[in-house]
Amino acid sequence: MKPKLFLITPPFTQLNTPYPATAYIKGFLNTKNIESVQADLGIDVILELFSKEGLEAIFSQTTISDKPKTTNAQRIFALKDEYIKTIDSVIAFLQGKNPTLALQICQEDFLPEASRFAQLEELDWAFGTMGTQDKAKHLATLYLEDISDFIVECIDENFGFSRYAERLGRSANSFDELYEALQQEPTYIDSILLSILKEKIENIQPTLFLISVPFPGNLYSAFRSAQWVKKHYPNIKISMGGGFPNTELRSLSDPRVFEFFDYITLDDGETPIELLCNLVSNPAPLEGLGEFKRTFLLEDGKVVYKNNSTQPDYKQSQVGTPDYSDLSLDKYISVIEIVNPMHRMWSDGRWNKLTMAHGCYWGKCTFCDISLDYIKLYEPVAASLLCDRMEEMIVQTGETGFHYVDEAAPPALMRALALEILRRKLSVTWWTNIRFEKSFTADLCLLLKASGCIAVSGGLEVASDRLLKLIDKGVTVEQVAKVTRNFTEAGIMVHAYLMYGYPTQTVQETVDSLEMVRQLFEAGVLQSGFWHQFAMTAHSPVGMFPEQYGAVPTSPPLEGLGVVFANNDIQFIDSTGIDHDKFSFGLKKSLFNYMHGICFDYDLQEWFDFKIPKSKIGPDFIYDALQKDANFNIKPTAKIVWLGGKPTVEHFTKSKKGNSWEMLSLTFHDKKESFTIQTSKNEGEWLVEILQKISISNVKTYSFQEIKADFEKQSEDFELFWYSKPVNTLREFGLLVL
């Protein structure tokens, strides 16, 4: 029997683009000629809920006896006809199908308004930089959030746009609470989910049902979906994989989980799923027999972990191109929740997701789960293969935007990818996550920009050199400042992940970190950021050896828990005894203002309602770090690339004090302007020839040493020529040293 797979992402993840896990797996299954169908049940549920019929049903659920209690919900209920009247046109607008509605939304008398619109007064100034479409998207987002508030109060307290019943999945060492919730009657949201699932299962009739659970907010719906299929289609085998089990369920021992699932696989899913397909096609005579790769299952009433297959994992070059077919890409909705440039990219617009490299090339940060294979096993993908996949996905999806979802994209591979994109003359837009390392020179950033890179995000984490060393981040604050300047000057937006509350972090270091961040924004080298409080995880060096980092775990040890469900987040006490929670509001409020270019002159004390020490960071620390030094030290192996075109050449004669000599005038045209340089005849002719050789369109690249040797066949003093005014002008217009 040939297997037929049904892959889902359960509610809820993102509204604007599919989470890529099922597309990755479907792409792999295609290489094995295994039939599969995928669905994002999150967007399906949202669109059914947020429709004319959906709102009519919601408001009809709210009877007189359980009338809304808060003034806000009462207002929404009173305006229910306005919501029902406008919902379909608003959703169509957010799907990009009804752009003219923006003009009406911006009149601010079209949408009914409840409490979410109260923040508009604070954000009015931000709309000065937003066009009509963006402003309308933001207003429409507030409108949807108002309806969401009503659903939470009156219909289902667990509802959330990008998560559902997340509380039940987060840090759930015990399965008890989630298990108990699953014994209750399905909620109203559940009923919509199960209705959609029923129709798809009946149409597809799979033999293997795969549920990808990326986050805690997908867990409850995953179990609800599995529960329904187990009850109504007991012959269908059900397996869970994804980010949540990969990090949280590695110590799983609770047999009740397998009332819902037959298998739970960890880490890279390709080989484990292929083996499950083999098992479904040729069932073993006894349950548990057969080959498995990193798979939990139930044997004799006990949870066992089987990894008895000798079949290796697939190389990244073998896993195929992510396949987005079956997903209704035109149904996703773009929202603008907050005026944060990077967070907006997460929620606005549809992105094709790809990975440059499996794992992390650095793999040392002590707060990160570096003991797990998805981080520690580093394997890059060739730039040519990445571009092949990009071209395939453009044809399939019609979208030219790519989000590279790497742990940290390697600079050398980013360079190779940018060169390949430019050689193929692809018109694409892409962004990714990086480490702020010194390899990101000004010239490399210009190359990335030319290839379509629009933004990078990276972990500055704790803006303190002592703590960065303790974290083993491999960077300094000064280095981060220079790298962020290079990206910013190239026109690439920079987002910094910021951390507070790392073990042994002092109050002084938190204040000094904030001052560093203030100066980075004031200098204009950061455009976006987000503070998050440190969380200790079981698979990070800090979690495995807390005493080495000055932390005392307070979570009970696993052996004291009996049967275990999830194990990842570890509660702890900092040996310093500092309450890091109290900094949260002030750090986030100050950052919100800095992101919008205001309040740099505020004393740091003004952000906190408790006494903080003065910063010990000099007021010009970042400014001084950013002072450029002329770089006269070029590695002989550095690649020299010309992004510009072929010049027009004019000959002329220059005379001085009775002497005359032949000269060349070279005129170049880039996208913004034209410029002219003048050289001697010999140097000019050599320059025209060498620019053709090092043009971005050529596959072969030339090193600095090779160009120097070529020049010196006919002339002397290459360095004198290289640092001359004509070449410096070319350096400003696309002559790059990489």
Side-chain angles (χ1 to χ4, degrees), residues 94 119 123 127 130-131 133-142 145 333-340 343-345 347-349:
L94 292 173
Q119 61 188 279
L123 296 178
F127 289 143
M130 299 173 92
Q133 292 288 323
D134 285 352
K135 180 176 180 180
K137 273 187 190 178
H138 184 66
L139 295 171
T141 303
L142 298 178
E145 288 176 337
I333 60 178
S334 288
V335 294
I336 299 180
E337 299 170 58
I338 48 177
V339 192
N340 175 313
H343 288 177
R344 175 187 169 170
M345 290 178 67
S347 59
D348 183 18

Coordinates of all heavy atoms in Angstrom, one line a residue, residues 94 119 123 127 130-131 133-142 145 333-340 343-345 347-349:
L94 N -7.1 43.3 3.5 CA -5.9 42.8 4.1 C -5.3 41.7 3.3 O -4.1 41.4 3.4 CB -6.1 42.4 5.5 CG -6.5 43.5 6.5 CD1 -6.9 43.0 7.8 CD2 -5.3 44.5 6.6
Q119 N -5.2 53.8 21.4 CA -3.7 54.1 21.3 C -3.4 55.0 20.1 O -2.3 55.4 19.9 CB -3.0 52.8 21.2 CG -3.4 51.9 20.0 CD -2.7 50.5 20.0 OE1 -1.6 50.4 19.6 NE2 -3.5 49.5 20.4
L123 N -0.1 57.2 18.5 CA 0.6 56.8 17.2 C 0.3 57.7 16.0 O 0.8 57.5 14.9 CB 0.1 55.4 16.8 CG 0.5 54.3 17.8 CD1 0.0 52.9 17.4 CD2 2.0 54.2 18.0
F127 N 2.0 58.0 11.7 CA 1.3 57.9 10.4 C 1.9 58.9 9.4 O 1.7 58.8 8.2 CB -0.2 58.1 10.6 CG -0.9 56.9 11.2 CD1 -1.9 57.1 12.1 CD2 -0.4 55.6 11.0 CE1 -2.5 56.1 12.7 CE2 -1.0 54.6 11.6 CZ -2.1 54.8 12.5
M130 N 3.8 56.9 7.2 CA 3.1 55.8 6.6 C 2.2 56.2 5.5 O 1.5 57.3 5.6 CB 2.2 55.1 7.7 CG 3.0 54.5 8.8 SD 1.9 53.8 10.1 CE 1.7 52.1 9.6
G131 N 2.2 55.5 4.4 CA 1.3 55.9 3.3 C -0.1 55.5 3.7 O -0.4 54.8 4.7
Q133 N -2.1 53.2 2.4 CA -2.3 51.7 2.5 C -1.8 51.2 3.9 O -2.5 50.4 4.5 CB -1.5 51.0 1.4 CG -2.0 51.2 0.0 CD -3.4 50.5 -0.3 OE1 -3.6 49.4 0.2 NE2 -4.3 51.2 -1.0
D134 N -0.6 51.7 4.3 CA -0.1 51.3 5.6 C -1.0 51.7 6.8 O -1.2 51.0 7.7 CB 1.3 51.8 5.8 CG 2.3 51.0 5.0 OD1 1.9 50.0 4.4 OD2 3.5 51.4 4.9
K135 N -1.4 53.0 6.7 CA -2.3 53.5 7.8 C -3.6 52.7 7.8 O -4.0 52.3 8.9 CB -2.6 55.0 7.5 CG -3.5 55.6 8.6 CD -3.7 57.0 8.5 CE -4.6 57.6 9.6 NZ -4.8 59.0 9.5
A136 N -4.1 52.4 6.6 CA -5.4 51.6 6.6 C -5.1 50.2 7.1 O -6.0 49.6 7.8 CB -5.9 51.5 5.2
K137 N -4.0 49.6 6.8 CA -3.7 48.3 7.4 C -3.6 48.3 8.9 O -4.1 47.4 9.5 CB -2.3 47.8 6.8 CG -2.4 47.1 5.5 CD -1.0 46.5 5.2 CE -1.0 46.0 3.7 NZ 0.3 45.4 3.4
H138 N -3.0 49.4 9.4 CA -2.9 49.4 10.9 C -4.3 49.6 11.5 O -4.6 49.0 12.5 CB -2.0 50.6 11.2 CG -1.7 50.7 12.7 ND1 -1.1 49.7 13.4 CD2 -2.1 51.6 13.6 CE1 -1.0 50.1 14.7 NE2 -1.7 51.2 14.9
L139 N -5.1 50.5 10.9 CA -6.5 50.7 11.5 C -7.3 49.4 11.4 O -8.0 49.0 12.3 CB -7.2 51.8 10.7 CG -6.6 53.2 10.9 CD1 -7.2 54.2 9.9 CD2 -6.7 53.7 12.3
A140 N -7.1 48.7 10.2 CA -7.9 47.4 10.1 C -7.4 46.4 11.1 O -8.1 45.5 11.6 CB -7.7 46.9 8.6
T141 N -6.1 46.4 11.4 CA -5.5 45.5 12.4 C -6.1 45.8 13.8 O -6.5 44.8 14.5 CB -4.0 45.6 12.4 OG1 -3.5 45.4 11.1 CG2 -3.4 44.6 13.4
L142 N -6.2 47.1 14.1 CA -6.8 47.4 15.4 C -8.3 46.9 15.5 O -8.8 46.4 16.5 CB -6.8 48.9 15.6 CG -5.4 49.6 15.7 CD1 -5.5 51.1 15.9 CD2 -4.6 48.9 16.8
E145 N -8.3 43.3 16.1 CA -7.9 43.0 17.5 C -9.1 43.4 18.5 O -9.2 42.7 19.5 CB -6.7 43.9 17.9 CG -5.4 43.3 17.2 CD -4.2 44.1 17.5 OE1 -4.3 45.3 17.8 OE2 -3.1 43.5 17.4
I333 N -3.4 37.2 5.2 CA -3.7 38.6 5.4 C -2.5 39.3 6.0 O -1.9 38.8 6.9 CB -5.0 38.8 6.3 CG1 -4.9 38.1 7.6 CG2 -6.2 38.2 5.6 CD1 -6.1 38.4 8.5
S334 N -2.2 40.5 5.5 CA -1.1 41.3 6.0 C -1.6 42.3 7.0 O -2.6 43.0 6.7 CB -0.4 42.0 4.8 OG 0.3 41.1 4.0
V335 N -1.0 42.3 8.2 CA -1.5 43.2 9.2 C -0.3 44.0 9.7 O 0.9 43.6 9.5 CB -2.1 42.4 10.4 CG1 -3.4 41.8 10.0 CG2 -1.1 41.4 11.0
I336 N -0.6 45.2 10.2 CA 0.5 46.0 10.8 C 0.0 46.3 12.3 O -0.8 47.1 12.6 CB 0.7 47.4 10.1 CG1 1.1 47.1 8.7 CG2 1.7 48.2 10.8 CD1 1.3 48.4 7.9
E337 N 0.6 45.5 13.2 CA 0.2 45.5 14.6 C 0.8 46.7 15.3 O 0.2 47.5 16.0 CB 0.6 44.2 15.3 CG 0.0 43.0 14.7 CD 0.6 41.7 15.3 OE1 0.5 41.5 16.5 OE2 1.1 40.9 14.5
I338 N 2.1 46.8 15.2 CA 2.8 47.9 15.9 C 3.8 48.5 14.9 O 4.3 47.9 14.0 CB 3.6 47.4 17.2 CG1 4.4 46.1 16.8 CG2 2.6 47.1 18.3 CD1 5.2 45.6 18.0
V339 N 4.2 49.8 15.3 CA 5.1 50.5 14.4 C 6.5 50.2 14.7 O 7.3 51.0 15.2 CB 4.8 52.0 14.5 CG1 5.5 52.7 13.3 CG2 3.3 52.3 14.4
N340 N 6.9 48.9 14.6 CA 8.2 48.4 14.7 C 8.7 47.8 13.4 O 8.0 46.9 12.9 CB 8.3 47.3 15.8 CG 9.7 46.7 16.0 OD1 10.3 46.3 15.0 ND2 10.1 46.5 17.2
H343 N 9.3 43.9 13.3 CA 8.1 43.1 13.7 C 7.1 43.2 12.6 O 6.3 42.3 12.3 CB 7.5 43.6 15.0 CG 8.4 43.2 16.2 ND1 8.1 43.5 17.5 CD2 9.5 42.4 16.2 CE1 9.0 43.0 18.3 NE2 9.9 42.3 17.5
R344 N 7.1 44.4 11.9 CA 6.2 44.6 10.8 C 6.5 43.6 9.7 O 5.6 43.0 9.0 CB 6.3 46.0 10.3 CG 5.4 46.2 9.0 CD 5.6 47.5 8.4 NE 4.9 47.4 7.1 CZ 4.7 48.4 6.3 NH1 5.1 49.6 6.7 NH2 4.1 48.3 5.2
M345 N 7.8 43.4 9.4 CA 8.1 42.4 8.3 C 7.7 41.0 8.7 O 7.4 40.2 7.7 CB 9.7 42.4 8.1 CG 10.1 43.7 7.5 SD 11.9 43.8 7.3 CE 12.2 42.5 6.1
S347 N 4.8 40.3 10.1 CA 3.4 40.2 10.0 C 2.8 40.8 8.7 O 1.6 40.7 8.5 CB 2.7 40.8 11.2 OG 3.1 42.2 11.3
D348 N 3.6 41.5 7.9 CA 3.1 42.2 6.7 C 3.7 41.7 5.5 O 5.0 41.7 5.4 CB 3.3 43.7 6.9 CG 2.7 44.5 5.7 OD1 1.9 44.0 5.0 OD2 3.2 45.7 5.5
G349 N 3.0 41.2 4.6 CA 3.5 40.7 3.3 C 3.8 39.2 3.4 O 3.9 38.6 4.5

